[in-house]
Amino acid sequence: MLRESRENERKPLISPDQEAAFFIESNGARYPFNKVKDVSVSGAGIQLPIPLAPASPILLGFDQGDYQVRVQATVV
């Protein structure tokens, strides 16, 4: 069996209570989603209903109540 070679171990992420608390912004469009498959210091596994081109710059966001997180990222 092949082991996936990642610099940082990915961990499962428990989904928040609020539906679509996560979103991605790319090319002026916003894509809400409610499930992050896994996350690490250097990446996240996210399933979207639309494909995003590799090397595309994106903004990954999270909003729930008073908590807001914004991270600039690149699609791999």
Side-chain angles (χ1 to χ4, degrees), residues 13-56:
L13 182 67
I14 297 171
S15 296
D17 295 334
Q18 177 184 341
E19 193 166 317
F22 295 100
F23 63 89
I24 284 180
E25 291 181 354
S26 177
N27 293 324
R30 188 176 192 149
Y31 305 100
F33 61 96
N34 59 3
K35 178 136 172 102
V36 174
K37 183 178 172 185
D38 53 47
V39 68
S40 76
V41 197
S42 61
I46 299 168
Q47 268 189 305
L48 295 176
I50 51 95
L52 295 176
S56 297

Side-chain angles (χ1 to χ4, degrees), residues 1-9:
M1 179 180 355
L2 293 175
R3 182 175 175 262
E4 196 172 337
S5 61
R6 293 193 185 275
E7 184 177 333
N8 298 293
E9 182 182 359

